[in-house]
Amino acid sequence: MTDQPQATKKMSIAEALREAIREEMQRDERVFCLGEDIGIPGGFGGAFTVTLGLSEEFGHERVLDTPISEAGIAGAAVGAALSGMRPIADVQYADFLFCAMDQLVNQAAKMRYMSGGKVSVPMVMRAPSGATTRAAQHGQSPESFFIHVPGVKVACPSTAYDAKGLLKTAIRCDDPVLFFEHKLLYGSKGMRAEKGALSPEGEVPLEDYTVPFGKAAIRREGTDVTILGKLMTVYRALAAAEDLAEEGISCEVIDPRTLVPFDVETVAQSIRKTEHLVIVDECPRTGGWAGEAAAVLQEAAFGSLDAPIKRVTAPDTPVPFAPVMEKYYIPDEDDVKAAVREVLRWR
Amino acid sequence: MTDQPQATKKMSIAEALREAIREEMQRDERVFCLGEDIGIPGGFGGAFTVTLGLSEEFGHERVLDTPISEAGIAGAAVGAALSGMRPIADVQYADFLFCAMDQLVNQAAKMRYMSGGKVSVPMVMRAPSGATTRAAQHGQSPESFFIHVPGVKVACPSTAYDAKGLLKTAIRCDDPVLFFEHKLLYGSKGMRAEKGALSPEGEVPLEDYTVPFGKAAIRREGTDVTILGKLMTVYRALAAAEDLAEEGISCEVIDPRTLVPFDVETVAQSIRKTEHLVIVDECPRTGGWAGEAAAVLQEAAFGSLDAPIKRVTAPDTPVPFAPVMEKYYIPDEDDVKAAVREVLRWR
Amino acid sequence: MADPSPDRMLHMYRQMQRIRQFEEKVNQLFLEGRMPGTLHLYTGQEACAVGVAEALDEDDWVVGTHRPHGHAIAKGVTLDDMMAELFAKSTGCARGYGGSMHVGDPATGVLPAIAIVGGNIPVASGMALGFKMQKTGQVIACFMGDGALNEGAFHEGVNMAAIWDLPVVFVCENNLYGASTPVDQVTRLEKLSDRAAGYGIPGETVDGMDVLTVHGAAQRAVERARNGDGPTLLECLTYRFVGHSRSDTRSYRSRDEEAEWKARDAIPRLAAHMVERGITTQDEVDAIAAEVAAEIEASIEFAESSPSPAPEDCLKYVFTEEAGQ
Amino acid sequence: MADPSPDRMLHMYRQMQRIRQFEEKVNQLFLEGRMPGTLHLYTGQEACAVGVAEALDEDDWVVGTHRPHGHAIAKGVTLDDMMAELFAKSTGCARGYGGSMHVGDPATGVLPAIAIVGGNIPVASGMALGFKMQKTGQVIACFMGDGALNEGAFHEGVNMAAIWDLPVVFVCENNLYGASTPVDQVTRLEKLSDRAAGYGIPGETVDGMDVLTVHGAAQRAVERARNGDGPTLLECLTYRFVGHSRSDTRSYRSRDEEAEWKARDAIPRLAAHMVERGITTQDEVDAIAAEVAAEIEASIEFAESSPSPAPEDCLKYVFTEEAGQ
Ligand SMILES: Cc1ncc(C[n+]2csc(CCOP(=O)(O)OP(=O)(O)O)c2C)c(N)n1
Ligand SMILES: Cc1ncc(C[n+]2csc(CCOP(=O)(O)OP(=O)(O)O)c2C)c(N)n1
Ligand SMILES: [Mg+2]
Ligand SMILES: [Mg+2]
């Protein structure tokens, strides 16, 4: 982690994101937000309050409410970026990215390449991810789709510190960035609070700082097994590690912070020490990020691995509504513990 | 492979697909086609001639030309399927699936689940895949996106026999099937022929037969290394195997035929024999099918593997236009040979 | 235009009461923490769903939105099935897999509601295509909000229905807001039904707070659809009396505006109309409301005493052949 | 309306000649197997691109389609840059990464063409949004075929431009077919510009075979855009004299129809107009054509003698920071 400056404040992730946007909008006239219900006076500040108050501060032109037109939003961001602006677009739920897929995959990601490097598309697309008893069309974690799109970067902050620092990096990045935020981590207040939310608060510097892309964070050090998780599953992994410590099992928990670029080396190094790897991910198993990470790491750390890499993921199903089924669907600390015990049986 | 009946005819893949559609349309009134430029008199029979002549035979209502509206096409297929029909929809290039992504991912794949199993969506979406000097927006191989969509099956025929047999299975399947066809394998004739095409012809039964989903085909037997490829890369793998045989290296080449369901067992068994695995895939590396296959197989065959699983894929870039760059981009037999030699160095 | 039969009017009244009371109850259950998930209430818009559904035959279909309770109940999903679904029980209309945003029941001609704004429109056109190809004579009504009109899916789905003269009625419930966003901020049109002209189909704007008006317009549209004359875009001017979803304090609109619309509530309006014409008495009307209240209490009992799905049931219903993968 | 200045008219003629001759040549090179890739020729539609581009200022922008040679040349991409791109050389306007379907050059205000039908429309609106926010006074012309009007992206992109009064001109080149599909099979509208009404913006249909007519209409639309009065949907009725792409035998349309439209060829038409008015002589006109022919020969030489990208160059230009990943 980069050195933390002096003055800090305890913030939720929603607040940290808002701070990042505010500071960047103050710093750079080209930065603006567009999305649904983000700036309406008396409105929500977006589906999870992140832009609350910003239209009052910066005006409605720079916190631009759009029609319900996700392809239009993404396209507007692409075009505005091409014209020299720095758009921060958002969809209310990550599930709606599928409505904007052509603009994201075929336009945003490829414009630079198709022009032979003559143009660039500095845009951010924010998307709230994760299952929260809203069933199949409002609970997906579609970040894995985007690691398969050459030309976009993918960030996944799990702490308030990272949320602010990564979002600033994303805004300043000259390439398109998909920025996934987990609904249960926001810490949104009041009526927009989420049931079952974890809402980790953290000390966030009030000064300007950035968190670089492609540098994983070791959230807990350990010697017996490496657990790789992102967004919400970082916390599941940490909870499991806590419990397992009591059984005498020492877990190292790593948070990649960005999926593209992905910090293979930090994880590979950890595996060289622990010789075991468990990957925890809320994306459905087949074709998900956990599989990609396993494929890269079985190669990068071959010979060091004492056991097959174990994936703890959501199953290959849509997100169910019933809370009992959803609980089964989402990988939790018990699933992680079982996987850790299983890989350690190979010792 | 299932037993081949008696009467056969040499066919290209385009012809075999057409035969499958024709026979199924004759067999079942509910089967119909919809897509762009598929049935216009004097037209193309779709972008790659697959539906040529079918509107004359079955009428324009059952070979339905649509506006250029991919989301509309996919949605029409979903709805028609829900009403009891058996639509075979298509997009002209697989790249355009991104325009229909919401309908495919959020509607087609989830309708059954969201209804608690009360409805089903028996539709096929055909999509031509692969790079053919048409650059970034007409050369993608997006099949990996769909293995990450619980609720759809994914087929990838590489031979004429499979093309007919898998398409029949897809049409009769009560679930949505994404059916990927490789542009260089069609064997389309005349002006619609593709440069650099391989166009494998094969003996195709004139009678009714199906190829089941989830059963891989061993395309060549061998003992030193297993090579897993799909669509075009099956042929790259076979060419490499041919050359490597002269060096005394014996390769087993496996074609999964369907990616969802995926026949883990056939490949795992092969690995238990060969102890080495190379996966060849035209999808970009990160987040692609090759990674998923590697992740599954490192677990299924752990202990048998003498070397890390090696992926030979397209790089993490859009598809370039210039043929010299495109040739570099597409994994070919030389890339496969190099990878085989590399994994065998671990012996 | 002539009123519907007294029986039908009384049934409409009952249906609107069912929707209203069902939602008042689930909202309460939800606030008490007894019900999981999220809720988009239809309160205030009942005339739209009921007016349209009553213009449909039993084997016709509807497909709803993220705000679908009204659509489903109006077309005949039972309160038991609805309540159990919202309680996430396996006796629910979607066996607990769908929840509030995906209620539906093929047995009553209700597709699982589609909560992707605009996403149900191409699907509805597709179903209508299937009806036409199979010559079943069926019609589908596709509900959408004012916000949905700006989705690309609207455009593609409506155009297809137009060019193929498909038997579908597009019902736009213009409640003046998409979530917090006023409709006049996202379109230059004064009348949303004017979008119909871009597809060469008829468009009509009606008072969505009067169930008889909605019903009349819906009948005409259904008739056109059934006769092979293609789709209609029917705009119903209406208002949700409540927040967009559970976490909405409605600060983006005025209490005056709310009061104005509440004064036009379709439910007392129909009651008054019937009483005025001597079709019924206030007592009978009150009795209906009381019967509905009892029905709803019974549905809660049914739901609460129903079994939950097993956790691992979440693996079911992905594919038709369970062992398929 | 008054004609443009003689110089401008002569320049328009030269630009149309450039497009026509460039494409005749690349088609030949392509058929000879000397040029890779695929081709969608603009032949016959030259008046549309040129009429519009000449209404734009140098720092205005255009974004083309899968059929973009005309759009790019009209806005000023040089024949050398174009030819080298189609030859897949690193001196091409997209350094060999884009090819025929993605020609463009930011230096001349031409975005890389977008070959996803309709895909350029939201991008154009976005760029116009950027102009408006930065108060640059710039305008973008977004070209599209008749087929693109049925894409959801059209709907969303045009609506956004409408509500925000963005400085964009939507130019629909209605050449009667989307690939093989006749336009009247995919819309109920007689005039595509009538779609404009659905967004509350002006629509106009003009003779796309007359460059002066197109130019006049484009000037009006550009002026509206630049004045902050928002977008226009300008439909140009035109015809491609050739097949949709290299593999099209055009059996879906009649030779009579083709002959009728070819008789309206915009290039001789402008020449005749200028000669009639004494603006120029046939000799001067012929000299322009000859100059263009020489330019094209030179561009082939330039392209053929230019270096190809290295194979591994395909790894470049994915991100701005090459080492970023
Ligand atoms: C594609 C998509 N975008 C955004 C949303 C989030 N969302 C849910 S309801 C809603 C407002 C819908 O407005 P409208 O269509 O007018 O329907 P209403 O809620 O007023 O009934 C929004 C933006 C969504 N569900 N789907
Ligand atoms: C989204 C998408 N769908 C389909 C295609 C394939 N395609 C390329 S050009 C074309 C026809 C386009 O017709 P139109 O918009 O009228 O333009 P024209 O070719 O006539 O210039 C089609 C279907 C595509 N490129 N993109
Ligand atoms: Mg609304
Ligand atoms: Mg056209």
Side-chain angles (χ1 to χ4, degrees), chain A residues 36-37 47 67-70 91-93 95-97 99 137-138, chain B residues 102 106, chain C residues 40-42 45 65-67 71 101 114-119 144-149 151 172-181 183 240 244:
Chain A
E36 296 158 15
D37 301 296
I68 311 179
S69 310
E70 286 75 11
V91 290
Q92 298 194 337
Y93 289 76
D95 312 68
F96 312 154
L97 290 173
C99 299
Q137 297 183 332
H138 287 70
Chain B
D102 174 64
N106 285 333
Chain C
H40 299 94
L41 298 180
Y42 194 67
Q45 306 184 195
T65 64
H66 60 283
R67 194 180 300 289
H71 312 136
M101 284 199 279
I114 291 179
I116 299 292
V117 168
M144 66 192 77
D146 44 285
L149 262 71
E151 284 282 1
C172 173
E173 299 180 62
N174 181 355
N175 61 7
L176 309 194
Y177 297 88
S180 71
T181 305
V183 64
R240 61 171 154 70
H244 166 65

Side-chain angles (χ1 to χ4, degrees), chain C residues 210-226:
Chain C
D210 181 13
V211 69
L212 300 178
T213 303
V214 173
H215 184 247
Q219 278 185 313
R220 292 189 295 276
V222 168
E223 199 183 316
R224 267 196 295 274
R226 216 184 297 283

Side-chain angles (χ1 to χ4, degrees), chain A residues 82 111-112 114-120, chain D residues 57-64 68-69 71-85 90-95 98-114 127 138 140 302:
Chain A
L82 286 165
M111 263 297 191
R112 176 170 180 75
M114 296 193 308
S115 75
K118 290 193 175 174
V119 304
S120 61
Chain D
D57 288 348
E58 219 168 288
D59 66 344
D60 288 333
W61 284 73
V62 303
V63 59
H69 304 157
H71 312 136
I73 294 173
K75 186 64 175 59
V77 181
T78 69
L79 297 184
D80 281 2
D81 284 359
M82 291 288 295
M83 193 62 85
E85 186 59 32
S90 39
T91 53
C93 59
R95 298 198 174 102
S100 164
M101 285 199 279
H102 305 299
V103 289
D105 181 3
T108 59
V110 183
L111 279 182
I114 291 179
M127 207 162 187
Q138 287 162 288
I140 181 166
F302 170 77

Side-chain angles (χ1 to χ4, degrees), chain C residues 85-101:
Chain C
E85 186 59 31
L86 270 62
F87 265 106
K89 296 303 180 77
S90 41
T91 53
C93 59
R95 299 199 173 100
Y97 286 69
S100 164
M101 284 199 279

